Amino acid sequence: GTVVLMEVKTGKIRAISNLIRQKSGKYSESENIAMNSQIEPGSTFKTLSFLVAMDDGYITDSTYVDTEDGSYQFANRLMKDHNFKGKGGKGGFGYTSVANVMHQSSNVGVSKIIDKYYSKNPQAFVDGLKRSGICDTIHLEIPGFGKPYIKNTDSKYWWKTSLPWMSIGYEVQMPPIYTLMIYNAIANDGCMVKPIFTEGFQRNGVMIDTTEVEVIKEKIYSDKALGYMRGILEGVVSKGTAKAIKSDLFSIAGKTGTSEKLSTDNQVIASFSGFAPADNPQIAVLIAVDEPQLYRTGGAGAAPIA
């Protein structure tokens, strides 16, 4: 698992911890998961997908979508929500707002929205993701860092189902710290800053050089889109999948994620990314727990750590 705390305005990493379970059963900090693991982000990526559609003017926080019975067929694959009950059962969230789609983390709701507006030109959606600056070359201070992988429609691995599955965080790969950079930018009025690990350099106890804040992108998306999303992310914590961490002391905004691992049998990565206080963000946080054995969702297995 990995935990990272980032100072919103400056990008300074205030805490980072990575634990790997060894074959012996013991844990060690032998790998920087946050920096070099390229994982499918799952539902934390839905935030970025909706920001693209909001920035393009297709949806607002009150746009409505039919989530059916919690399932929807895209080409030869069936998309399912986490509350899908099977044939004849009652699942899904019905006809509901985009805000509630995010609050409840509806796969069907997100993928139907993105498919509706980008199926005729899926490259426009891919370009919208890249417009955030997340795929720009970012040289981090710690060697061996990974880079996001977001494929284009001319890839030989682009399928008829790629657009809806990408929209919910599959068929893309991102080191966790890149996901954190997105959420930190949302908290920072759209300004994406580079993570800073070194405050400065001292000689004989005297600071001789300090690290300056480095802006990667001045504005990832429009103020209107960012405003919609900040309100939605606060709702995820106040009444959605992360309501277990709602605090009476200060407001929290964020998004849970539960991504299935294709290479293992019924294993997941549980995650949460967000910031606090929601109305005056100071710290952004990312949690990712690989193959949790007890609490197997982002809401139960990762958010409480935040």
Side-chain angles (χ1 to χ4, degrees):
T2 185
V3 176
V4 191
L5 292 176
M6 184 174 179
E7 194 172 87
V8 168
K9 298 298 182 185
T10 65
K12 293 176 181 178
I13 301 299
R14 292 305 188 186
I16 180 168
S17 183
N18 303 272
L19 287 179
I20 302 285
R21 185 173 182 172
Q22 307 301 321
K23 291 182 179 179
S24 64
K26 294 183 179 180
Y27 290 85
S28 66
E29 193 154 10
S30 56
E31 180 184 343
N32 197 324
I33 305 167
M35 300 283 286
N36 61 26
S37 290
Q38 289 182 294
I39 63 174
E40 291 181 316
S43 294
T44 55
F45 196 78
K46 292 173 181 175
T47 299
L48 189 54
S49 295
F50 268 2
L51 276 172
V52 172
M54 289 172 172
D55 196 53
D56 285 341
Y58 291 130
I59 64 173
T60 70
D61 55 346
S62 58
T63 300
Y64 273 68
V65 59
D66 186 1
T67 63
E68 314 286 337
D69 65 347
S71 69
Y72 192 78
Q73 188 83 25
F74 292 98
N76 62 342
R77 294 183 68 185
L78 187 67
M79 176 78 71
K80 296 179 182 178
D81 276 338
H82 58 82
N83 68 344
F84 175 65
K85 297 292 194 303
K87 190 174 182 179
K90 290 185 178 180
F93 303 97
Y95 188 67
T96 190
S97 69
V98 157
N100 195 50
V101 161
M102 286 286 284
H103 295 164
Q104 306 303 329
S105 201
S106 168
N107 294 333
V108 172
V110 173
S111 56
K112 280 189 70 176
I113 284 283
I114 297 302
D115 188 71
K116 176 180 179 179
Y117 293 108
Y118 297 98
S119 59
K120 292 182 179 179
N121 184 14
Q123 187 61 43
F125 174 71
V126 175
D127 292 342
L129 296 174
K130 295 180 177 181
R131 197 161 66 236
S132 69
I134 201 64
C135 287
D136 295 348
T137 301
I138 302 169
H139 295 286
L140 301 175
E141 295 172 273
I142 298 177
F145 57 86
K147 297 179 181 178
Y149 168 70
I150 297 177
K151 62 185 175 183
N152 291 306
T153 54
D154 59 1
S155 167
K156 65 179 181 179
Y157 300 111
W158 185 271
W159 320 112
K160 291 181 179 179
T161 55
S162 287
L163 178 63
W165 259 262
M166 282 181 68
S167 73
I168 62 169
Y170 291 94
E171 297 189 33
V172 298
Q173 292 180 319
M174 293 175 67
I177 198 161
Y178 279 80
T179 299
L180 177 59
M181 287 165 56
I182 287 289
Y183 281 82
N184 194 82
I186 295 170
N188 197 26
D189 296 323
C191 180
M192 182 183 286
V193 293
K194 177 180 175 180
I196 294 175
F197 294 87
T198 307
E199 183 101 26
F201 296 90
Q202 291 183 348
R203 180 178 294 141
N204 299 324
V206 178
M207 190 71 77
I208 61 171
D209 190 20
T210 57
T211 305
E212 299 294 328
V213 176
E214 185 174 333
V215 175
I216 297 169
K217 196 171 183 70
E218 289 284 354
K219 184 76 71 173
I220 60 170
Y221 294 113
S222 67
D223 287 331
K224 182 179 288 188
L226 292 165
Y228 289 147
M229 188 53 65
R230 278 192 290 266
I232 289 173
L233 294 178
E234 191 169 355
V236 170
V237 177
S238 65
K239 54 190 173 185
T241 56
K243 61 185 178 183
I245 66 168
K246 183 180 178 181
S247 172
D248 293 331
L249 302 177
F250 53 88
S251 57
I252 306 170
K255 181 72 184 76
T256 59
T258 310
S259 56
E260 298 177 3
K261 297 178 68 174
L262 294 178
S263 59
T264 58
D265 182 27
N266 197 33
Q267 296 289 354
V268 302
I269 297 175
S271 61
F272 176 84
S273 194
F275 47 88
D279 56 351
N280 183 26
Q282 302 297 312
I283 291 290
V285 60
L286 179 130
I287 316 289
V289 183
D290 190 17
E291 300 187 10
Q293 299 302 298
L294 184 59
Y295 301 110
R296 291 169 42 81
T297 66
I305 300 170

